[in-house]
Amino acid sequence: MWKHLQRVGKIVVDTVEVYVPFATFVMLFVVFLLGIFFRYFLRPLTWTLELSLICFIWTALLGGIYAKRKNGHVMFTMVYDSCSSLVQTWMRIVGNGLLIFAFLIGFYPSLKYVLFMSFKKSNVLKIPTDISYFPFVVFLAFMIVRYSIDLVGDIRKLLRKDLAS
């Protein structure tokens, strides 16, 4: 039973972090090229810019979650790298704690605002704004979970070091 739940969870997480951003990026690329073709060779299309922007939001936010999973974000670590492993652990604990706190503060107001904006629709395609911007709420939720996992791991690592001393 537990293995089955883990498999389903991995499929859901992979869908949100990998497959949806991949699909929206492909759609973004195709629509962007279509818009350029029509602008220069035929009559300009009005909907391509709108759909490109929505796809960009989905790709950037959901792809950012995957980058966090792989720790693939750009980091400037000159000070961090020059510190001992104990200080690095404390820096990660403080940094992750601050990020979790900030994301938690922003989660409910963001969710409330995105749901509130459901009455507004995009100008050309009439896509509800809550669909366009809902990936931000998903981004916040996933990042809270990811940073919490990192924080718990660092705290455990710190406690093991303190108990071993």
Side-chain angles (χ1 to χ4, degrees):
M1 173 77 173
W2 181 248
K3 294 270 188 198
H4 180 69
L5 285 175
Q6 283 180 323
R7 212 171 333 140
V8 169
K10 179 152 177 37
I11 290 169
V12 169
V13 169
D14 282 346
T15 300
V16 170
E17 294 180 353
V18 179
Y19 303 123
V20 172
F22 174 76
T24 57
F25 180 76
V26 169
M27 189 183 306
L28 164 72
F29 187 72
V30 169
V31 168
F32 181 72
L33 291 178
L34 188 70
I36 291 172
F37 177 79
F38 271 80
R39 181 182 314 134
Y40 288 108
F41 298 111
L42 302 170
R43 210 177 100 215
L45 300 173
T46 56
W47 59 269
T48 56
L49 176 64
E50 194 171 279
L51 188 57
S52 294
L53 290 172
I54 292 169
C55 287
F56 177 76
I57 291 168
W58 278 64
T59 302
L61 290 172
L62 299 180
I65 301 169
Y66 182 73
K68 171 60 185 132
R69 181 201 315 187
K70 296 294 185 182
N71 286 322
H73 287 290
V74 175
M75 294 181 267
F76 299 99
T77 60
M78 282 178 33
V79 174
Y80 177 82
D81 288 339
S82 66
C83 296
S84 68
S85 63
L86 179 64
V87 173
Q88 288 178 351
T89 304
W90 274 107
M91 291 170 93
R92 283 193 310 272
I93 288 171
V94 170
N96 290 343
L98 289 171
L99 286 168
I100 292 166
F101 182 69
F103 287 153
L104 282 171
I105 288 173
F107 182 78
Y108 181 69
S110 297
L111 176 64
K112 195 171 159 185
Y113 184 74
V114 166
L115 294 176
F116 165 73
M117 289 302 290
S118 64
F119 74 90
K120 188 173 179 347
K121 299 190 180 348
S122 64
N123 294 331
V124 179
L125 294 174
K126 303 300 181 201
I127 297 172
T129 308
D130 59 341
I131 292 173
S132 300
Y133 297 119
F134 194 73
F136 182 68
V137 176
V138 174
F139 172 81
L140 288 176
F142 271 68
M143 292 305 253
I144 289 168
V145 171
R146 291 242 181 251
Y147 279 115
S148 297
I149 291 169
D150 290 349
L151 182 68
V152 168
D154 282 335
I155 290 172
R156 284 184 178 163
K157 182 179 175 183
L158 191 64
L159 290 175
R160 278 195 305 267
K161 279 188 178 180
D162 284 346
L163 293 175
S165 303

